């Protein structure tokens, strides 16, 4: 008998949600996390959930605090030329909304639920290694005090993010990588100020900007910045004046500024590694793919991967391997939809090095067309709110 059915590497949203759903489906699992619990909780990341994510969390019994504290968005707003603001009302167009609820809180909810159900989680598991993934008796080892501990299992779920070990355990000859780096990053701040009530993306000659929220007294803002900058190049005064300069007056006049309580610079990248299964190893979330944050898709893709993967493992233990065999192709269909949309929106809204006045006008024309065409808005809305699960 193996020590567990599924060894899960990584306790981010993908790993912890998978553990939660497997427990609910009666499938034994162990989670190994390289960092401490507090370290994972302190990472500031995503903020906008697709409705499919909201419903997955609710169905898993993880929706109570999200429903009490989350903020429902009916629209996505895009500004350009420092004047026009287009509101794409996804609720009117499609009857679908989004939820502003921080990844930090989802992570807390998942750990708290793990404590309640007695989840087996190992934090600060150094030197995790995957073994025999091309057999049906794989194992995972990690450094444990005096020596090495080994966990044997039926399957390994690689939920260890972009810099994890799982993807790299698949022979390079067996996978194809699709990669695109962007020549800028996002400088993000959190500030204890009342946010704009709307989610607002801005295309501007000075560069992209985004206004988002966490709670009624916690705002999240981003500006495009060169990756050669550091956060020290961006004292609060510079950040606020740059943010305000990139927004139309109608919006910048409503922004309440204040000291930042967090500031970080994140690179933008599109990356997909195929297939998402190799033998007994299944990848989910950022371990298999990265999207630039412009479409707010990364966390949502992690949740849809885990939706497919948990269903596949649970069905396997009732003698049905249909979903397991099709996991990679099913998950990748949604991944590529989001990868394309995130790339397109990044290209539309950012200022690229060597961008000419022609390029700028072409971006603005595409936004004007979006404003004029309900068909174009529907196509945008359909992708922003998230493609349906299969
Ligand atoms: P994570 O969250 O990176 O978790 C992986 C976990 O694995 C651990 N790990 C290991 N554990 C054991 N052994 C090893 N060798 C290990 N190596 C790594 C790590 O410590 C970590 O705890 O991946 P996961 O679970 O796949 O979740 C993905 C999301 O975190 C990510 O896609 C989103 O944050 C992306 N993202 C957004 N997604 C959205 O859906 N909506 C958004 O609004 C949104 N905004 C964002 C974002 C990401 C951002 N940054 C910082 C890149 C905004 C930003 C600025
Ligand atoms: C955020 O609130 O952090 C956020 C919102 C929208 C995005 C990316 C990040 O596209």
């Amino acid at each position: 008998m193996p020590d567990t059915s599924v060894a899960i590497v990584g306790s981010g949203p993908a790993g912890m949600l998978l553990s939660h759903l497997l427990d609910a489906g009666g499938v034994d699992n162990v989670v190994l996390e390289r960092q401490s619990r507090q370290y994972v909780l302190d990472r500031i990341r995503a903020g906008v959930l697709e409705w499919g994510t909201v419903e997955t969390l609710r169905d898993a019994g993880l929706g109570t605090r999200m429903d009490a504290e989350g903020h429902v968005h009916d629209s996505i707003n895009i500004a350009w030329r420092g004047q026009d603001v287009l509101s794409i009302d996804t609720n009117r167009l499609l009857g679908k909304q989004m939820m502003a609820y921080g990844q930090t809180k989802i992570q807390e909810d998942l750990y708290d639920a793990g404590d309640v159900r007695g989840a087996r989680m190992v934090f600060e598991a150094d030197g995790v290694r995957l073994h025999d993934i091309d057999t049906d008796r794989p194992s995972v080892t990690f450094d444990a005090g005096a020596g090495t501990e080994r966990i044997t299992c039926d399957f390994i779920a690689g939920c260890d993010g972009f810099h994890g070990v799982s993807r790299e355990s698949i022979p390079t000859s067996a996978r194809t990588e699709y990669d695109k780096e962007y020549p800028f990053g996002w400088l993000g701040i959190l500030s204890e100020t009342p946010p704009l009530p709307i989610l607002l993306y801005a295309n501007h000659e000075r560069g992209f900007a985004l206004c988002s929220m966490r709670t009624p007294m916690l705002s999240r803002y981003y500006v495009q910045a060169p990756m050669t900058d550091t956060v020290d190049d961006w004292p609060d005064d510079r950040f606020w004046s740059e943010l305000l300069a990139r927004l139309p007056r109608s919006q910048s006049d409503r922004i309440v500024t204040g000291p930042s309580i967090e500031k970080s610079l994140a690179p933008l990248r599109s990356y997909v590694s195929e297939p998402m299964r190799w033998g007994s190893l299944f990848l989910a979330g950022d371990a298999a793919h990265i999207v630039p944050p412009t479409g707010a898709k990364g966390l949502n893709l992690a949740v849809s991967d885990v939706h497919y993967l948990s269903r596949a493992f649970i069905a396997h233990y009732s003698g049905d391997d249909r979903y397991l065999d099709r996991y990679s192709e099913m998950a990748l269909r949604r991944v590529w939809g989001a990868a394309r949309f995130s790339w397109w929106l990044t290209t539309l809204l950012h200022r690229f090095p060597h961008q000419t006045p022609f390029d700028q006008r072409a971006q603005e024309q595409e936004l004007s067309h979006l404003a004029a065409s309900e068909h174009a808005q529907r196509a945008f809305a359909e992708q922003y709110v998230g493609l349906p699960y299969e």
Side-chain angles (χ1 to χ4, degrees):
M1 278 288 282
D3 299 318
T4 189
S5 302
V6 183
I8 300 173
V9 186
S11 78
M16 285 309 292
L17 181 62
L18 180 63
S19 169
H20 188 94
L21 295 175
L22 290 183
D23 264 1
V27 177
D28 192 67
N29 62 89
V30 179
V31 182
L32 299 176
E33 166 62 53
R34 177 168 61 184
Q35 306 288 354
S36 69
R37 181 166 169 152
Q38 197 55 46
Y39 181 96
V40 177
L41 286 172
D42 286 343
R43 291 191 294 223
I44 308 293
R45 287 188 169 178
V48 178
L49 309 182
E50 296 173 351
W51 214 253
T53 299
V54 169
E55 282 174 350
T56 301
L57 294 173
R58 278 184 186 156
D59 291 348
L62 293 161
T64 313
R65 186 161 72 132
M66 175 181 72
D67 283 324
E69 297 180 16
H71 174 98
V72 174
H73 285 302
D74 284 334
S75 65
I76 305 129
N77 301 272
I78 306 179
W80 68 103
R81 274 201 301 248
Q83 46 189 5
D84 310 82
V85 180
L86 165 64
S87 180
I88 300 179
D89 189 332
T90 60
N91 201 17
R92 182 180 67 79
L93 292 167
L94 304 174
K96 294 199 173 145
Q97 301 164 300
M98 290 77 54
M99 173 87 84
Y101 186 65
Q103 181 168 333
T104 315
K105 288 193 176 175
I106 294 179
Q107 191 75 54
E108 274 171 12
D109 295 344
L110 284 164
Y111 281 153
D112 290 350
D115 291 339
V116 171
R117 66 188 156 86
R120 283 195 283 163
M121 305 183 257
V122 181
F123 288 97
E124 299 180 62
D126 266 336
V128 169
R129 285 216 159 64
L130 280 49
H131 307 274
D132 304 321
I133 56 173
D134 53 348
T135 73
D136 58 5
R137 192 39 47 88
S139 63
V140 180
T141 55
F142 59 100
D143 302 337
T148 301
E149 194 154 321
R150 178 179 297 272
I151 298 177
T152 56
C153 51
D154 295 329
F155 302 107
I156 300 173
C159 303
D160 47 352
F162 187 62
H163 302 288
V165 290
S166 298
R167 185 181 65 252
E168 301 299 328
S169 308
I170 303 175
T172 45
S173 58
R175 56 191 180 92
T176 309
E177 293 182 300
Y178 302 87
D179 200 3
K180 187 170 187 65
E181 282 185 49
Y182 299 86
F184 38 72
W186 278 18
L187 187 84
I189 69 156
L190 272 178
S191 81
E192 287 170 324
T193 48
L196 287 185
I198 57 167
L199 180 62
L200 177 66
Y201 293 85
N203 168 302
H204 195 275
E205 285 179 4
R206 300 179 70 89
F208 169 85
L210 169 60
C211 307
S212 185
M213 63 172 66
R214 289 295 177 271
T215 68
M217 260 314 281
L218 193 57
S219 306
R220 180 74 165 152
Y221 296 105
Y222 299 95
V223 293
Q224 170 186 347
M227 278 310 291
T228 44
D229 281 8
T230 67
V231 288
D232 295 335
D233 295 320
W234 286 88
D236 288 357
D237 285 351
R238 178 175 178 211
F239 181 88
W240 289 118
S241 68
E242 196 56 47
L243 176 73
L244 299 187
R246 295 178 187 194
L247 302 175
R249 276 296 292 276
S250 60
Q251 304 299 321
S252 59
D253 283 351
R254 296 157 72 199
I255 290 197
V256 182
T257 62
S260 65
I261 56 166
E262 193 266 353
K263 198 179 277 163
S264 51
L265 182 63
L268 265 64
R269 167 173 223 149
S270 296
Y271 172 89
V272 181
S273 175
E274 295 185 350
M276 289 172 62
R277 174 194 187 167
W278 171 250
S280 308
L281 169 65
F282 292 75
L283 302 177
D286 280 13
H289 42 74
I290 294 282
V291 287
T294 324
K297 291 282 170 251
L299 171 62
N300 291 298
L301 279 183
V303 170
S304 59
D305 287 353
V306 164
H307 167 82
Y308 293 137
L309 188 54
S310 59
R311 179 173 68 183
F313 284 145
I314 293 165
H316 167 82
Y317 288 101
S318 342
D320 175 1
D321 274 350
R322 238 176 333 154
Y323 291 120
L324 212 54
D325 292 341
R326 291 180 53 216
Y327 167 70
S328 181
E329 77 176 78
M330 231 184 221
L332 281 168
R333 265 197 287 277
R334 230 176 159 275
V335 166
W336 274 110
R340 194 215 70 84
F341 179 68
S342 306
W343 158 79
W344 171 75
L345 195 57
T346 302
T347 308
L348 180 62
L349 296 181
H350 290 75
R351 176 137 193 116
F352 285 73
H354 315 301
Q355 183 160 329
T356 63
F358 178 90
D359 299 328
Q360 180 71 28
R361 287 300 292 267
Q363 285 181 333
E364 290 170 3
Q365 172 51 32
E366 187 156 1
L367 289 163
S368 298
H369 174 253
L370 192 58
S373 162
E374 190 165 305
H375 292 294
Q377 286 182 34
R378 271 180 193 278
F380 181 101
E382 197 173 61
Q383 297 176 82
Y384 194 95
V385 301
L387 299 170
Y389 292 4
E390 288 177 49

